[in-house]
Each structure stands twice: as structure tokens, then as C-alpha cells.
């Protein structure tokens, strides 16, 4: 596997979406290539920062209530 | 549920005394499978509409449609992914057709948006010296919003919502290979944006060293 082929797999490697064979070849290349390793580390850190730093909001109670009316359940049981 | 209160029956779309056993079962299943994802749907709706009222409308429409067509949901598959697909279609139908051009980001709106919700920020207790950890939520979010929509969308679905490539491919109507390459290119663009912020604040980045 060369650098171009390896970089095409970087996102899938970060997300644990490589096949067994792809992963084997990918790691073999990284063990021999510093530049691709840096790219891989960068992609991993970028994913991490998005997960950590983008605020997640909870649904407001009025919305919870209106959705619950669909099924007529008590809202306190779930939220 | 068997609720004899007439006022309650009026409000509920599907609750009445003659509720069939099948409908009752559907309600229970819908709650367990679909309603549990309400927070995730609202969060995503808020991030794509940038407006709490629009986000609420979008989520309501999504659940109404999901409940109506719940029998067509393939049991055993990811219900959250199914709901997101419905939400995305609703978004296109309800908002994008008659609103601003796609891909254009209103930075003043983002600023106001983050200003209005800053109390809700959920800081992590990271002590990492990595420059990324010095970045504020707003900056990371601005960097994310500065990406072309096709990249931003897959990053949100993958990194924030945790969907698999197969699920994302289905949601965005593209092959898995396209999802892979959009994620790769999107993260590279994002990285460049974030490094720009880091330099602005005097942090050394890998490329400076």
C-alpha cells in the first residue's frame, strides 16, 4: 500500500470502519511512513475535538410534552 | 394507555377508550424505539436550522411522520438512523426550499446563537496541553460551519451522532466511498481552520514545529 492508497483509508481507520485486510495493510504502511502517521493522528484529534467541543442541547420540556402526546405516556418516565 | 380522562383523550392523537391492542402495542414500541432519541434529534435539528422554533417544528414533523409510518420501520435496524433520515427529508421540504441559499453561513447568527446558549455549555475537564483544548466551543463550531455543507453534514453525523458509514451513506444518498472521502477531506479542512484559530491565539501547532 502506498501513501495515496493509505490516505484514502484514513477517515475509515479513524472511525474503525476498515475491513480486516485493509486495517492490516494500513497499519503496515503507517509503521513505515511518518507522514501518513502524522495525518492519521491529526484526523483522530480532529474527530476528538468535534466530539468534545460541539455543544449538545437537550430538547425543551414543551417539545418533550408534545411528542409524548403522540403516545400518551408520562414524560417523567423517560426524561 | 387506558386513560379515562376526556381532556387527555382530546389532546392525544391516538389515545381513546377503543384503542386497539395493536395500536397500544405500537405506542409502547414507538416510545421504546423512537422517542428515546428525542434529544439527539432536537440537537441535530438545532444545529442545522440555527433556530430553536424551527428545530422544534422540524422534530415535531419528524415524529408525526415517524409515528404514522412506524409499521414500515424495519425492526432490528437502527431506529435513530431511520428518524434522522426522516428529519433530513423534512428539513429539505420544510426549510431549505424557501430559505437562504444552502452553504452560506451567517456568522452573526452563529455569534448570537452561541451567545444565547452559552450558559448551556458543557465544559469537559480536559487538562491536555494540546492546543485544541484551548479552543472554545464557539470557535470549533464556527470552523465546522465554515465547511461546505456536504462535508459538515457527514462530520456531524459521524463524529457527533456516531452513525456508521453505511447509515450515513443511506442518509445522504451517496455510496460509502463518497462518505469516506468527504470525511477525510472535511476533517482536513477543519483541521486547517482550527490551526488558524490556534495561531491567532499564539499556540504553536504541529505544522509550526
Amino acid at each position: 500500500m502506498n501513501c495515496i492508497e493509505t490516505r484514502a483509508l484514513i477517515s475509515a481507520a479513524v472511525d474503525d470502519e476498515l475491513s480486516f485486510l485493509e486495517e492490516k495493510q494500513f497499519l503496515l504502511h503507517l509503521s513505515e511512513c511518518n507522514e501518513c502517521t502524522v495525518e492519521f493522528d491529526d484526523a483522530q484529534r480532529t474527530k476528538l475535538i468535534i466530539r468534545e467541543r460541539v455543544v449538545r442541547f437537550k430538547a425543551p420540556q414543551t417539545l418533550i410534552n408534545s411528542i409524548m402526546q403522540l403516545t400518551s405516556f408520562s414524560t417523567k418516565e423517560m426524561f | 394507555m387506558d386513560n379515562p380522562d376526556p381532556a387527555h383523550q382530546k389532546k392525544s392523537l391516538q389515545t381513546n377508550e377503543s384503542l386497539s391492542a395493536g395500536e397500544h402495542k405500537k405506542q409502547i414500541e414507538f416510545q421504546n424505539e423512537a422517542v428515546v432519541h428525542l434529544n439527539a434529534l432536537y440537537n441535530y435539528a438545532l444545529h442545522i436550522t440555527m433556530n430553536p422554533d424551527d428545530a422544534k417544528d422540524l422534530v415535531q414533523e419528524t415524529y408525526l411522520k415517524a409515528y404514522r409510518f412506524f409499521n414500515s420501520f424495519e425492526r432490528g435496524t437502527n431506529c435513530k438512523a431511520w428518524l434522522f433520515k426522516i428529519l433530513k427529508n423534512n428539513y429539505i421540504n420544510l426549510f431549505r426550499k424557501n430559505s437562504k441559499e444552502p452553504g452560506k453561513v451567517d456568522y452573526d447568527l452563529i455569534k448570537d446563537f452561541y451567545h444565547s446558549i452559552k450558559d448551556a455549555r458543557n465544559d469537559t475537564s480536559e487538562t491536555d496541553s494540546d492546543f485544541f483544548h484551548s479552543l472554545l466551543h464557539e470557535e470549533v463550531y464556527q470552523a465546522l460551519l465554515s465547511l461546505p455543507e456536504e462535508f459538515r453534514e457527514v462530520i456531524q453525523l459521524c463524529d457527533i451522532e456516531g452513525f456508521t458509514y453505511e447509515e450515513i451513506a443511506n442518509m445522504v444518498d451517496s455510496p460509502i466511498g463518497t462518505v469516506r472521502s468527504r470525511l477525510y477531506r472535511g476533517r482536513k479542512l477543519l483541521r486547517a481552520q482550527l490551526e488558524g484559530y490556534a495561531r491567532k491565539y499564539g499556540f504553536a501547532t504541529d505544522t509550526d514545529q
Side-chain angles (χ1 to χ4, degrees):
Chain A
M1 193 179 273
N2 61 31
C3 288
I4 293 171
E5 290 164 331
T6 301
R7 293 191 186 191
L9 295 182
I10 278 182
S11 71
V14 166
D15 299 316
D16 208 14
E17 290 263 1
L18 292 180
S19 68
F20 178 74
L21 188 62
E22 282 175 332
E23 188 177 10
K24 209 172 153 190
Q25 292 173 332
F26 181 81
L27 291 175
L28 178 66
H29 179 83
L30 286 202
S31 70
E32 297 162 350
C33 177
N34 197 39
E35 283 182 12
C36 286
T37 305
V38 169
E39 279 261 345
F40 176 59
D41 291 344
D42 281 352
Q44 271 189 316
R45 287 204 291 180
T46 306
K47 180 185 172 93
L48 190 67
I49 198 67
I50 289 297
R51 283 171 67 167
E52 282 185 358
R53 281 290 181 264
V54 174
V55 175
R56 286 160 215 236
F57 300 95
K58 286 191 170 182
Q61 192 61 41
T62 50
L63 179 62
I64 294 172
N65 292 345
S66 72
I67 300 300
M68 281 305 179
Q69 280 176 18
L70 277 175
T71 52
S72 76
F73 279 81
S74 160
T75 60
K76 284 180 184 168
E77 287 171 20
M78 298 190 65
F79 294 93
Chain B
M1 267 197 247
D2 298 326
N3 192 329
D5 175 7
H8 185 84
Q9 287 173 26
K10 261 187 197 172
K11 279 196 287 180
S12 175
L13 291 182
Q14 294 293 339
T15 306
N16 56 54
E17 284 174 13
S18 60
L19 193 69
S20 70
E23 198 64 33
H24 183 63
K25 193 177 161 218
K26 179 183 169 184
Q27 287 183 350
I28 293 175
E29 198 183 354
F30 188 73
Q31 181 175 23
N32 292 335
E33 286 273 351
V35 181
V36 291
H37 300 299
L38 178 53
N39 280 333
L41 257 82
Y42 177 73
N43 178 61
Y44 187 65
L46 193 59
H47 283 306
I48 56 176
T49 61
M50 302 293 293
N51 179 305
D53 289 334
D54 287 347
K56 276 166 74 176
D57 289 347
L58 188 53
V59 172
Q60 265 172 337
E61 285 290 325
T62 300
Y63 273 106
L64 277 172
K65 195 175 274 183
Y67 189 75
R68 188 175 162 204
F69 296 106
F70 192 48
N71 290 338
S72 71
F73 166 63
E74 202 180 321
R75 303 304 191 266
T77 60
N78 187 346
C79 190
K80 183 179 166 187
W82 181 68
L83 291 167
F84 267 67
K85 173 96 177 173
I86 296 173
L87 186 138
K88 203 203 153 187
N89 288 338
N90 275 349
Y91 171 65
I92 292 166
N93 290 333
L94 287 173
F95 296 101
R96 215 159 60 175
K97 271 181 190 165
N98 18 333
S99 66
K100 61 188 176 183
E101 290 172 48
K104 280 197 174 176
V105 175
D106 181 344
Y107 286 101
D108 288 337
L109 188 67
I110 298 164
K111 226 174 173 179
D112 291 348
F113 177 67
Y114 259 86
H115 182 70
S116 67
I117 53 87
K118 65 182 175 188
D119 293 340
R121 285 181 180 185
N122 180 25
D123 282 299
T124 57
S125 54
E126 288 292 336
T127 52
D128 200 317
S129 60
D130 188 311
F131 78 87
F132 270 158
H133 289 107
S134 65
L135 293 172
L136 298 172
H137 299 284
E138 185 181 337
E139 291 156 349
V140 175
Y141 196 53
Q142 277 200 7
L144 184 63
L145 288 184
S146 73
L147 300 183
E149 189 178 359
E150 59 182 7
F151 297 137
R152 181 173 74 239
E153 180 177 44
V154 291
I155 287 177
Q156 281 185 313
L157 293 171
C158 181
D159 295 348
I160 300 175
E161 301 304 335
F163 289 116
T164 65
Y165 284 13
E166 194 180 350
E167 288 162 348
I168 296 170
N170 180 38
M171 269 177 236
V172 302
D173 289 322
S174 301
I176 287 179
T178 306
V179 174
R180 272 189 185 191
S181 80
R182 282 184 191 168
L183 277 167
Y184 174 64
R185 291 168 64 196
R187 284 180 181 143
K188 266 196 96 121
L189 287 170
L190 199 57
R191 174 90 188 166
Q193 286 277 348
L194 294 173
E195 283 182 350
Y197 285 124
R199 280 201 206 91
K200 197 170 106 187
Y201 294 113
F203 288 92
T205 66
D206 290 351
T207 47
D208 295 331
Q209 289 158 7

